[in-house]
Amino acid sequence: MQHGRYRFIVGFLAAPVLLYVVFVISPYVQAFYIALTNWKGVSANPQFIGLENFSRLLDDEVFWAAVRHHGVLLLVMPLVTIVIALFFSFLLNLSGGQKGGQMSGIWGSKVYRVIFFLPQVLAVAIVGVLFQTIYRPDETGVINGLLGKVGIDPVGWLIDPNIALLAIIGVMVWQAVGFYVVLFSAGMSSIPKDVFEAAALDGAGRYTLFFKITLPLLWDTMQVAWVYLGIAAFDAFALVQVLSVDRGGPDNSTTVLPLEIWRTAFNFSKFGYASAMGVALFFMTITFAALTLRVTRRERIEF
């Protein structure tokens, strides 16, 4: 009986595991191998050069510029997104006080959830084209048009190297907030209402409800959100390609590693060097996720 169960489990898992190995693990292994060669994308037998591509990365200024930009993205984008999403989630779920003996959100909260989630259904390319119009450097742009009405000169949102990356981060936050509003709302909905009602009866205000009750009970959800947003910060390929000047400009002020990988491989046919960048990005992402889960680990609160 026991052997029959094992055979059933193995037979049930064999096909999905095989597909995973072929389409996920195998490409990773091939990328690691290609990173050790000087493959140009066409030769059948690339020359093995060992760690030469990785040593070149150490002296590549564009590579390190992209790494610094990922550092800014990791610092700003997840933090701002989570803070805004938590604020709106609290408003939509718990800030309306008690109605019918239960905690509720502000009036029209169901409609607001739909509005917040709308950016999620838009393709990234559409979002990029939309914000190209919003960020135009003259008064035909939406933001500069509004600034012009109050006497402020137009701002080069995407052509000024000092603010171009921050402008793109703003778009990433705008697009991501809706999903995390829904995620945190689901987390708040899973918290027993008795906890909030008891706190409200004891005289707890909105500040106490948010910081002393909601945040500790949402910690696991916030941990997952931080990892997801960090992975998104290591990507950022599509928005940077669509929004930035000359794909990563001006003067490489907005370039990111996925964009450099694509450009190195398909513009310069240096697939071996691009794979080395990809391997570096892979280990950065894995390290970030592991450190985040380790640092933010807390004892689970049961309720």
Side-chain angles (χ1 to χ4, degrees):
M1 188 70 178
Q2 192 83 355
H3 294 295
R5 186 177 67 175
Y6 287 147
R7 283 197 297 270
F8 173 78
I9 294 174
V10 171
F12 188 78
L13 293 178
V17 169
L18 179 62
L19 290 174
Y20 186 82
V21 169
V22 171
F23 293 105
V24 178
I25 302 300
S26 175
Y28 278 120
V29 174
Q30 293 178 53
F32 294 157
Y33 170 72
I34 293 171
L36 302 175
T37 70
N38 65 349
W39 190 46
K40 303 297 183 182
V42 291
S43 58
N45 297 307
Q47 180 184 358
F48 183 84
I49 58 175
L51 299 177
E52 182 177 328
N53 286 325
F54 294 98
S55 65
R56 287 176 57 194
L57 289 178
L58 299 177
D59 299 320
D60 191 334
E61 295 181 1
V62 177
F63 170 80
W64 288 110
V67 172
R68 288 193 297 271
H69 297 156
H70 284 298
V72 175
L73 285 164
L74 285 172
L75 181 65
V76 177
M77 198 267 283
L79 179 62
V80 174
T81 302
I82 289 175
V83 168
I84 295 175
L86 280 172
F87 173 74
F88 285 128
S89 299
F90 187 77
L91 288 180
L92 296 177
N93 291 275
L94 302 171
S95 67
Q98 292 195 45
K99 293 181 181 179
Q102 292 187 344
M103 299 295 294
S104 62
I106 60 175
W107 181 84
S109 58
K110 293 182 179 179
V111 177
Y112 293 138
R113 285 193 184 98
V114 175
I115 294 173
F116 283 129
F117 195 75
L118 277 177
Q120 287 293 312
V121 304
L122 298 177
V124 177
I126 294 175
V127 173
V129 173
L130 174 65
F131 274 88
Q132 281 181 339
T133 302
I134 294 174
Y135 281 149
R136 280 179 185 168
D138 52 32
E139 292 190 355
T140 62
V142 175
I143 297 179
N144 283 327
L146 294 174
L147 294 177
K149 293 183 182 299
V150 295
I152 300 177
D153 293 334
V155 178
W157 299 103
L158 297 175
I159 62 176
D160 185 343
N162 296 316
I163 62 173
L165 183 61
L166 294 177
I168 293 175
I169 291 175
V171 181
M172 296 175 68
V173 171
W174 177 84
Q175 188 182 27
V177 160
F179 174 81
Y180 292 96
V181 167
V182 174
L183 179 66
F184 294 146
S185 295
M188 291 179 188
S189 299
S190 68
I191 301 173
K193 298 298 182 184
D194 296 346
V195 176
F196 298 109
E197 292 163 11
L201 289 174
D202 289 338
R206 287 184 173 88
Y207 179 89
T208 302
L209 285 176
F210 183 74
F211 287 99
K212 301 295 184 180
I213 298 175
T214 305
L215 285 186
L217 295 178
L218 272 183
W219 189 258
D220 289 345
T221 306
M222 292 173 57
Q223 185 185 52
V224 172
W226 199 281
V227 173
Y228 282 0
L229 285 166
I231 293 173
F234 275 115
D235 184 6
F237 168 78
L239 276 178
V240 172
Q241 187 184 41
V242 175
L243 283 174
S244 63
V245 178
D246 295 329
R247 294 175 178 172
D251 298 327
N252 292 319
S253 61
T254 60
T255 191
V256 289
L257 281 178
L259 182 61
E260 286 306 312
I261 292 169
W262 175 82
R263 184 157 50 190
T264 302
F266 296 101
N267 285 5
F268 305 114
S269 296
K270 297 179 180 179
F271 283 82
Y273 191 52
S275 294
M277 289 186 184
V279 171
L281 178 60
F282 170 81
F283 283 109
M284 288 180 195
T285 306
I286 293 296
T287 302
F288 164 79
L291 287 177
T292 300
L293 293 174
R294 175 66 178 175
V295 171
T296 60
R297 186 173 62 182
R298 290 188 179 184
E299 185 177 350
R300 185 177 180 84
I301 299 176
E302 299 289 345
F303 49 81

